[in-house]
Structures are given as C-alpha cells and as structure tokens.
Amino acid sequence: MWLLPLLPRVASLATRTYYRLSRAGERVPREGPVLVVANHPNSLLDPALVSVAAERPIRFLAKAPLFTDPLVGWLVRGAGSIPVYRRQDDAAQVGRNEEMFAAVYAALVGGSAVGIFPEGLSHSNPSLAPLRTGAARIALGAAAARGGVPFPIVPVGLVFRDKDVFRSEALLVVGRPVAWDDLAPGDPGDAGAVRVLTERIDAALREVTVNLERWEDAPVVEAAEAIWSAEYGAEPGDVHRLGRTHEAARLLERVRAEGDARWAPLARDVRIHARALARLRLRPADLAAPEPTTVGAAWWTVRQLPFAAAALLAVLGAAIYWLPYRATGWVADRAGPAEDIRSTWKLLAGALLHVAWTVLLAALAAWSGGWVAGAAALVLLPVLALLALHTLERWGRAREDARRFFALRRGARLADLRARQRALAERLRALREGVVAERR
C-alpha cells in the first residue's frame, strides 16, 4: 500500500491537469471510519476523483482482474485496493468474496475510509444504474463488528460535461451523510435492512448527480436551468446549480410521463433559443446582465496584460510538448476503448508520454550542456508545460469574452433575444408551478 498515503495528492495533480476540476458540497470526515459511495461513469479515473473529493486516503474495492492487469495492476495494488470477485469475471472465484468482506470490515473497524461504486460497473448511461447491495451489506456488517455503532456513509457525485475531453469541466459534489442510525444496530444479514439501506444510498447518490431519461435531454435541461437562473437571479454556486439542473430533469421526466402537452413545444423553443445564443457565443446570463461599457472593456484589457506578457513562453511550451500531446490522442484513438474508459487511457498514456518526453529532452540537454543543464531542463520543462496550458486557456477565455462584448452591442437583435428569453422563463415558471400545484 505504498501509494495509499500519497493518493490524494497524486490524484489531485493528475485529475486537475486532465480536467478543469471543481469541488462543492459537504466535507468527508478527515478521521475515523467512513464508507464513501459514488457513481461510476469514468472507469479508473473515478477512484482518483473520489480521493480528491474526500481529501484523505481511501481504500477502494476493485474487480479482481485489475490486480493482475499489466497496465494498471501495480497502481491498483499500490493504492491498497481490495479485490472483489465477480461472477462475470470468474465464477470459480466468487466464494473468495468472504475474504473481501473480512478485509473491508477490518479496514473500517480500524478507522480507515473505504470507497465503493455501488452500481457495480462503469458505464456511460445518462442515469444511475440500479445499485447492487454490496455497499449496504458492507455498512451493516462493519457496524455489527463495531458493536452496532454506525459510521458516516458519504455520497460523492461525479458530474462531467464532456468526460473524455481533455480540460473539460468536472464537478465533484460531496453530499450529506446517509441517515442509517436506525438500521446499524440490527442484524447485518437482515434482507429488509439491506434493501432499505440500499434505497437510501440510491436516493443520496441521486441528490448529487444529474439523472436523465436520455442523453438528448441534456442540452434542454442545461439551457432551461441557465435561462431560469439568468432571469430569476438564482443562488450562485455549483451545488445550487446542480440542484436546479436536477429539478429540471425531474420536471421534464414527470411532464413527459404524464403526457403534458406543454413540454414538447417548450423544449423545442428552449433548444431554438440555446442554438441562437450559441451562434453568437452568448449565454443566457449575458442577456440578463447590464450592457458592457467602453470603460469596462478598457479595464478588462488591462487585466489581460500579464497573460500577454507570458505569450512567448506559452507558445514555446506548446511547441515543445506538441508531439507527446498529439501522440496521446493517437494512442487513445488506436486503442479504441469504450467511452467510459477513454479518459483513463488518455490520462495514463499522456502521463507516460509526457514524462518520457521530458526525460529525453533533459538527457539531450545534459549531453550537450552538462548535468546542470540537464537538471534544469528536468525541473523547468514541466513548469513551462503547465504555464503554456493555463496561459493558452486564459487566451481562449479572453477571446470568448471579446466575442461576447461585441455581440452584446447588437442592439435590435439582442432586444429580441432578451424578450424571447423572458418569455421562456415565464413559461418554465408556469409549467413548474402547475406541476407543483397538481402534486398538492
């Protein structure tokens, strides 16, 4: 378990390099036994992301074949993972799960944090898969081993915009601990208690994830939330935005199931509005904001000057690391993995290729300029790469800001879009209030 104490920091470096990562919600207890439960959309990256969310070492349950995998076996073993023997992997080994339960109980009784993905498999579906009972059985068994004393079961939601795209957005949401004090003192073999606790874990995970009936609903749900927030001044923050998106998804599911005739034309008009804004590179919030002024634009330009000063270094860093960057995509494309493991391939291949390329360049520097030049290259080249990455991203955001500034000065066209957006917000509110009233 040599990697376990280092896992949160190593995971943070790797995942924050790959994603534009943000964390929100509650805090996982820093000490004592904790069972962390999470959704599983992204294969081997998910344990790393949960470790970042928890901010403490976590021992994960992992399927047994990973322990002997030539690519990641060393990583799984070094992180102190606990093997799970699944029937679909090797039916003859299923009986060894008694060893798994014993190891998990010992870890929790000893005060460790244990992580599990109750869906039982990594997938790219738009909603949670039906949960297996393993998490509930582990919790009840460990509580029994602690004399019927419960411990926190903490849900973590992993929410992505484009999970297999480098530098896309990822949100880690830590939810409130599951309430199960009433179940902990009972019989760990009680099927009823296992079922009830599994249902509570499912409900807790749904509160920290977005669950859609189909992926095609995602643009409508996101656009509806953005329109609502822009027009009604909704509370800021990732957790509140996730809650509103979650509510919009449930509203869409409900009105569709009830055959409400209002949802189809409203969804169509929300799509049309979102596409019109996208062509102008605008967001719903831009229409509701005050019109930008020349003074504001001048002050914005001044704030960009430090990043303009780093232009040469950013271009140099991008040029130096262009080859391993392109090679990473080539390797991922040739490997042809499923969507839910594509990011894992990209991260592992990218890390290996960039490290190898850095070592090669440092060796060349040492060969031509001596060991001091080699050591300097080994230290400075990664710094240059990170500087290039963040500077180029800042340039990209600056270009978008500039496009928005000029787009927002199109008076008549913007007036029509603002009026349409206010009307859409009113229709959304009427639909929501109507559904709430019917439920009463």
Side-chain angles (χ1 to χ4, degrees):
M1 296 194 292
W2 59 272
L3 182 58
L4 183 60
L6 304 173
L7 188 58
R9 289 177 180 165
V10 173
S12 180
L13 175 62
T15 56
R16 291 183 187 279
T17 300
Y18 191 87
Y19 290 115
R20 283 181 288 158
L21 197 62
S22 56
R23 183 193 176 284
E26 307 293 325
R27 293 281 177 183
V28 175
R30 296 296 183 87
E31 297 180 351
V34 180
L35 182 63
V36 180
V37 293
N39 59 317
H40 202 8
N42 217 13
S43 189
L44 294 180
L45 278 189
D46 291 342
L49 291 164
V50 173
S51 295
V52 174
E55 300 178 316
R56 63 176 287 184
I58 298 181
R59 298 185 63 186
F60 287 93
L61 275 69
K63 59 184 181 181
L66 289 177
F67 287 76
T68 55
D69 186 284
L71 181 63
V72 299
W74 63 274
L75 186 62
V76 174
R77 295 189 300 271
S81 301
I82 299 169
V84 177
Y85 302 93
R86 306 187 307 173
R87 188 171 301 279
Q88 60 263 44
D89 297 325
D90 186 350
Q93 296 289 315
V94 172
R96 297 187 63 186
N97 277 327
E98 292 300 322
E99 302 173 20
M100 178 271 292
F101 280 108
V104 175
Y105 296 160
L108 288 169
V109 170
S112 296
V114 172
I116 185 172
F117 301 97
E119 293 171 284
L121 75 167
S122 176
H123 65 88
S124 295
N125 298 327
S127 182
L128 283 174
L131 300 193
R132 311 285 178 85
T133 60
R137 293 167 62 197
I138 285 170
L140 292 168
R146 285 165 45 87
V149 179
F151 49 87
I153 302 176
V154 180
V156 173
L158 311 179
V159 183
F160 302 93
R161 187 168 294 276
D162 294 294
K163 65 181 180 181
D164 62 339
V165 176
F166 179 63
R167 299 304 294 166
S168 59
E169 295 179 8
L171 172 63
L172 314 179
V173 184
V174 180
R176 293 186 296 271
V178 176
W180 67 296
D181 289 11
D182 57 321
L183 302 174
D187 179 3
D190 182 351
V194 170
R195 175 181 53 79
V196 171
L197 184 51
T198 300
E199 291 172 353
R200 293 182 188 179
I201 292 172
D202 181 87
L205 280 174
R206 289 183 184 278
E207 288 297 320
V208 293
T209 55
V210 177
N211 295 277
L212 303 167
E213 289 186 278
R214 58 194 76 165
W215 280 122
E216 291 79 5
D217 292 339
V220 176
V221 168
E222 290 181 358
E225 185 280 325
I227 291 169
W228 179 282
S229 299
E231 294 300 320
Y232 295 122
E235 194 168 355
D238 290 325
V239 171
H240 297 294
R241 188 179 76 244
L242 178 65
R244 292 190 298 271
T245 304
H246 190 188
E247 182 181 4
R250 286 185 294 186
L251 178 63
L252 175 58
E253 181 181 359
R254 187 176 301 121
V255 297
R256 179 185 284 152
E258 293 173 354
D260 192 318
R262 292 174 294 177
W263 79 267
L266 179 54
R268 180 198 62 222
D269 292 344
V270 167
R271 285 193 187 96
I272 292 171
H273 184 68
R275 284 197 291 265
L277 291 184
R279 284 193 293 270
L280 295 172
R281 306 290 182 92
L282 294 176
R283 303 160 299 185
D286 297 323
L287 296 183
E291 186 173 331
T293 64
T294 304
V295 173
W299 175 236
W300 173 88
T301 303
V302 170
R303 294 202 305 271
Q304 310 312 309
L305 293 178
F307 294 92
L312 182 60
L313 289 176
V315 171
L316 178 62
I320 289 173
Y321 281 93
W322 181 86
L323 185 60
Y325 175 77
R326 300 304 303 174
T328 298
W330 184 87
V331 169
D333 290 339
R334 295 304 179 276
E339 184 182 355
D340 57 302
I341 61 173
R342 184 173 175 79
S343 292
T344 300
W345 276 87
K346 281 187 174 182
L347 180 57
L348 291 175
L352 291 172
L353 288 169
H354 281 75
V355 168
W357 184 250
T358 301
V359 171
L360 174 62
L361 294 179
L364 291 174
W367 177 73
S368 61
W371 71 268
V372 174
L378 197 62
V379 172
L380 294 178
L381 283 173
V383 175
L384 184 62
L386 291 174
L387 174 66
L389 177 64
H390 291 290
T391 301
L392 292 174
E393 282 190 351
R394 181 59 184 253
W395 285 355
R397 292 195 295 271
R399 285 196 300 272
E400 291 301 314
D401 288 343
R403 288 192 186 101
R404 278 195 288 272
F405 173 79
F406 290 109
L408 287 169
R409 299 177 75 84
R410 302 182 184 184
R413 177 75 185 278
L414 267 294
D416 290 342
L417 286 173
R418 288 189 177 102
R420 179 200 291 175
Q421 181 164 294
R422 282 193 294 271
L424 284 172
E426 287 295 330
R427 291 168 65 187
L428 287 168
R429 183 167 66 176
L431 179 62
R432 177 178 179 272
E433 291 176 350
V435 171
V436 171
E438 289 170 6
R439 292 184 66 189
R440 290 175 182 167

